[in-house]
């Protein structure tokens, strides 16, 4: 059942920490709401740990009333890996941004996916480094003006979902802040998946990428996501939405325990 | 049956905007399909025509600051 705002704030949030630090109109609040809703549906609070790195999105762990760890930049996945390996019965969720996951922690993403460890990674993608002043990120679209590319970004963007899939993740999905119900369903499915699950949530940044590119209003940026439907054939350069990959593979903590059991048996 | 539902259900919700959480981004005003809100001069959304609300919950869900609550008993 969808939680009302009142129930959400009472049961899922650290109410005293609000209002949050995100800028006016930042869609991170909506994505965090989707995460809280999915956790309410699919996770046991006493058996769930949220791990985050550094960045705007990683502040989310500070507002959610769960066991949380706020780690260093890009290193949320290593902490989550250690946690899951030591306590395989826990549901471990990593909350991270595109800079955290795709650039500084890019290597950790590849290897967490390769190992197929049972961790859910929710990546907020806004295509910029909002917390440090709007620098270009690996996911910035070509042509976008950022504070480090005033003449327009000229690099090709990284498709994090494709990267996670080829690296070996067993569940890969993408939604946007506008597609709230879809995002909740995808996160809940990712939480239920036994294996590395990667969910990307497109979350427009109205202050840095918006203002610098003439998209003044947060509502406009949110509504611009509306016409994209999951499963639609997409034009080159446009990212598809919905469940993109769902496969089965041996899970890391299970195979690790089997292997270590074999080693210890005389 | 419908009589009972009519008696216990509210036609429209009470729309509460928490000014201490609102950051005046204007999303609720823009996503409302029924012109319930108007933006005050300082940007704060004000419920102008609450009776038009169709209880779609867009403003509640898309408010990034959790400032809007729709309170009432729904008939469905």
């Amino acid at each position: 059942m969808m939680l009302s705002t009142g129930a959400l704030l009472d049961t899922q949030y650290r109410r005293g920490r609000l209002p949050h630090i995100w800028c006016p109109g930042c869609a991170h609040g909506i994505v965090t709401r989707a995460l809280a809703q999915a956790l309410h549906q699919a996770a046991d609070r006493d058996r769930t740990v949220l791990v985050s790195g550094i960045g705007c999105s990683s502040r989310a762990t500070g507002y959610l009333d769960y066991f949380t760890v706020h780690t260093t930049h890009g290193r949320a996945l290593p902490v989550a890996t250690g946690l899951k390996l030591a306590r395989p019965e826990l549901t471990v969720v990593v909350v991270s941004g595109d800079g955290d996951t795709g650039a500084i922690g890019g290597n950790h993403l590849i290897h967490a996916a390769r190992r197929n460890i049972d961790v859910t990674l929710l990546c907020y993608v806004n295509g910029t480094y909002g917390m440090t002043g709007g620098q270009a990120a690996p996911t910035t679209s070509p042509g976008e003006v950022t504070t480090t590319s005033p003449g327009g970004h000229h690099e090709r963007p990284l498709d994090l979902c494709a990267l996670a899939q080829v690296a070996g993740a067993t569940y890969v999905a993408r939604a946007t802040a506008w597609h709230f119900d879809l995002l909740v369903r995808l996160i809940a499915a990712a939480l239920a998946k036994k294996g590395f699950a990667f969910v990307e949530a497109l979350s427009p940044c109205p202050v840095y990428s918006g203002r610098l590119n003439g998209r003044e209003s947060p509502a406009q940026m949110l509504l611009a996501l509306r016409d994209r439907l999951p499963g639609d054939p997409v034009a080159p350069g446009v990212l598809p939405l919905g469940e993109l990959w769902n496969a089965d593979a041996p899970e890391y903590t299970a195979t690790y325990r089997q292997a270590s059991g074999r080693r210890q048996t005389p | 049956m419908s009589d009972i539902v009519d008696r216990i259900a509210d036609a429209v919700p009470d729309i509460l905007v928490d000014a201490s959480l609102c950051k005046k981004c204007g999303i609720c005003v823009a996503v409302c399909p029924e012109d319930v809100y108007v933006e005050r001069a300082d940007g704060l959304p004000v419920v102008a025509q609450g009776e038009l609300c169709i209880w779609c919950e867009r403003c509640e869900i898309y408010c990034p600051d959790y400032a809007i609550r729709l309170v009432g008993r729904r008939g469905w």
Side-chain angles (χ1 to χ4, degrees), chain A residues 110-224:
Chain A
I110 295 169
H111 293 289
R114 176 180 64 80
R115 290 178 180 132
N116 191 32
I117 188 158
D118 183 20
V119 166
T120 300
L121 169 56
L122 173 63
C123 183
Y124 297 51
V125 176
N126 56 7
T128 190
Y129 286 90
M131 190 169 268
T132 49
Q135 291 84 359
T139 43
T140 305
S141 306
E144 287 275 297
V145 175
T146 69
T147 49
T148 48
S149 57
H153 194 54
H154 62 93
E155 297 171 15
R156 293 188 295 176
L158 180 59
D159 183 343
L160 289 171
C161 283
L163 177 65
Q165 183 186 336
V166 295
T170 45
Y171 187 88
V172 177
R174 183 190 283 116
T176 76
W178 175 266
H179 300 86
F180 182 82
D181 288 3
L182 175 70
L183 186 55
V184 172
R185 277 208 306 280
L186 294 175
I187 299 172
L191 289 167
K193 182 77 187 175
K194 226 36 196 146
F196 188 75
F198 179 80
V199 180
E200 184 177 306
L202 302 181
S203 166
C205 170
V207 168
Y208 286 111
S209 82
R211 260 186 220 163
L212 289 172
N213 291 285
R215 295 184 292 264
E216 281 290 327
S217 116
Q220 249 177 38
M221 295 188 74
L222 191 63
L223 289 167

Side-chain angles (χ1 to χ4, degrees), chain A residues 8-71:
Chain A
L8 192 82
L9 292 182
D10 289 346
T11 63
Q12 305 290 307
Y13 280 77
R14 295 174 181 154
R15 185 65 184 78
R17 295 270 177 174
L18 296 175
H20 52 61
I21 61 153
W22 294 317
C23 306
C26 174
H28 281 14
I30 304 168
V31 178
T32 305
R33 185 188 180 115
L35 172 64
Q37 176 67 40
L39 286 169
H40 168 71
Q41 288 171 7
D44 171 7
R45 184 196 300 271
D46 296 334
R47 289 262 175 278
T48 302
V49 183
L50 309 183
V51 186
S52 68
I54 298 292
C56 295
S57 55
S58 297
R59 299 290 306 192
T61 52
Y63 306 120
L64 291 168
D65 192 11
Y66 283 80
F67 296 113
T68 56
V69 193
H70 199 165
T71 71

Side-chain angles (χ1 to χ4, degrees), chain B residues 7-71:
Chain B
R7 258 183 282 141
I8 62 167
D10 300 320
V12 290
D14 291 327
I15 304 168
L16 310 177
V17 180
D18 187 338
S20 71
L21 289 177
C22 177
K23 290 186 186 145
K24 302 164 185 167
C25 65
I27 285 180
C28 52
V29 183
V31 299
C32 178
E34 294 290 333
D35 300 326
V36 166
Y37 297 96
V38 290
E39 217 169 289
R40 214 168 64 183
D42 65 350
L44 193 79
V46 177
V47 180
Q49 305 183 77
E51 71 280 2
L52 294 182
C53 178
I54 57 168
W55 224 322
C56 68
E57 298 184 337
R58 275 192 188 181
C59 53
E60 192 176 7
I61 284 171
Y62 291 123
C63 174
D65 295 283
Y66 321 116
I68 296 178
R69 297 178 187 213
L70 305 184
V71 181

